[in-house]
Amino acid sequence: AQARIREVLRRHQTVEEVVELKSRMIDTETYDVLLTIEFEGHRFAERLRGKLEAAYPDIEDVDGFVRYAGEFADDVIQLLGDEIDVIEAEIREAVPQVKIIDIEPN
């Protein structure tokens, strides 16, 4: 099961490193999985490049930059959540015995 999970993670360019992968057998056909993943922040920034380019001309001062930085941080958090949802779905597809998946960004 862990080999199939690692294969799913290797396909994601946003995954820089699997820091920890633990699985626990709940019964003969069910697993819980705990993952700690180092995500590649630059991959998320690239996905938001168009939004950055569109907002850049409106940043005139530090307050404008702080507003933009807050919005950008919100967007990155949303992308991270979406990426985790996709990874969880792919793990469940690859290893149907996995019932609970806990992914922690490092």
Side-chain angles (χ1 to χ4, degrees):
Q2 286 193 7
R4 286 181 281 171
I5 291 169
R6 286 186 186 280
E7 179 58 36
V8 167
L9 297 171
R10 273 192 289 275
R11 291 193 302 255
H12 286 266
Q13 293 180 346
T14 57
V15 175
E16 184 176 333
E17 177 185 0
V18 177
V19 177
E20 182 176 39
L21 190 164
K22 292 182 181 178
S23 60
R24 178 174 64 134
M25 185 176 269
I26 302 302
D27 59 37
T28 58
E29 296 182 21
T30 307
Y31 296 93
D32 286 352
V33 174
L34 168 66
L35 288 162
T36 304
I37 297 174
E38 185 73 40
F39 285 94
E40 175 57 65
H42 293 287
R43 297 292 183 175
F44 293 109
E46 277 300 316
R47 290 183 184 177
L48 295 170
R49 184 182 191 95
K51 193 169 187 177
L52 172 65
E53 290 170 348
Y56 187 76
D58 297 330
I59 299 172
E60 297 177 2
D61 56 17
V62 172
D63 289 336
F65 177 76
V66 169
R67 271 191 307 280
Y68 173 75
E71 291 173 12
F72 187 79
D74 286 344
D75 291 340
V76 170
I77 291 168
Q78 181 64 48
L79 279 176
L80 177 60
D82 293 346
E83 185 74 0
I84 288 171
D85 290 345
V86 168
I87 290 169
E88 288 176 348
E90 289 180 13
I91 288 172
R92 283 192 174 94
E93 185 176 324
V95 188
Q97 300 87 346
V98 172
K99 299 302 175 197
I100 297 173
I101 303 171
D102 183 13
I103 297 178
E104 297 290 330
N106 191 30

